[in-house]
Amino acid sequence: MRALRRALAAAAASLAVSAGADTITLTNGRVIETDRAWFEGNEVRYEKAGGVYGLPRTLVARLDRRAAGDGAPDADVVAARERLAAGDAVEAVRLLRRALARDPRSLAALQGLSEASLALGDARAARQAAEGALAVAPDDARALAALGSALSALGDGPGAARAFQRSLELRPDPEVARRMAEVAPAPSQPGGGARFRLRYEGSVNEPLGDEVLRALDGAFAEFARRLGFQPDESVSVVLKTEAAFQDEAPEWAGALNDGAIHVPVAGVRALTPRLAALLRHELAHSFILARTRGNCPTWLQEGVSQLLEGGDPARGDEPSRAALRAGRLKPLITLEAPFQGLEAGDLPLAYAESLSAVAYIVKRRGEPAVVRLLNSLGDGFPPEEALPVALALSYPEFQRSWEAHLAAAR
């Protein structure tokens, strides 16, 4: 019953998100389903799931509005969404079948029928409806997720994992990532399992290596849940057993991530809180690199990595606030390049600003806003365009808003 309740909740949430009235097609082919969209000056603004967002008009190839009449959503599909959200899956199925009698290739009705059938415990009908939806739209992320849920209920774990994986490739979604983790846990392999490949640079310390892998494995599952995606390839971890570990160094110092995580551990006998934070920080970099393929400003990389490593998310605010008062605060746009180019004395402030800015995004919009920003960068948007897409704020507007937050805090 718990599985059915989760399926019902997921189906209702999915239907609520997809109840968009207007569709925005971007110049790169990406399609955004919205509740309402409109032109406003040089931007296209839109409402979705209770939030208001914006993106530059130059990125929009087409805005399609579903007005009342021929372009309006099917009334039975709309009513079915409401009934499923209210927990009445029986009535939702009846309404959706009536809509399909009029239009057997209605993608929205087939998607909804799969989700409502699963909520009723009819996994075979759910699979049939999902397959029908995919016959209409083979690359529809929602239909793939519905198929994965149906296959999981039917006991086909590998098939469910493939459907979930394809859905996540098309549209990252924390709920789909969670369902995928349930049916496709990482298999055990020598050297750290499918998620990690461990090697030593220097002498071998297997007890420490095992602790490191356990810590990384727990962090991996947490990050996948919070971010809604995970690296496709195994993450290489190099323990440098002859390079000194500095337990008193700042959280962001001491390791290197060039696609692999390099950690100095000489003198470390067991996992310490500092080492655990360092591992989480570097694993966050691996996640960000996998999602954005390197198209991510350094301040965002470092801010998200410090946020995910743990600790007080507001710890970067006071140094940033002091710099603002002294006229030394660096504009975020100047912190896009790797920090190796900064003077050593400027590094602590650069990291503090990075964390403070990301923590402000979370405070204002929640973690999903950070995920939207990473997804936009992964879709190829440059930072100055990704920010409006994800936050409905331009770079200058976000800078001013963040600085006002710093100035107002006591």
Side-chain angles (χ1 to χ4, degrees), residues 112-130:
L113 181 60
S114 178
E115 292 156 350
S117 297
L118 188 64
L120 286 175
D122 190 346
R124 293 186 183 280
R127 181 183 64 182
Q128 183 178 11

Side-chain angles (χ1 to χ4, degrees), residues 112-168:
L113 181 60
S114 178
E115 292 156 350
S117 297
L118 188 64
L120 286 175
D122 190 346
R124 293 186 183 280
R127 181 183 64 182
Q128 183 178 11
E131 289 172 345
L134 290 169
V136 175
D139 289 330
D140 183 76
R142 181 177 158 199
L144 284 161
L147 177 61
S149 295
L151 292 175
S152 176
L154 290 168
D156 183 1
R162 287 192 296 271
F164 286 142
Q165 179 62 44
R166 179 59 181 148
S167 177
L168 289 168

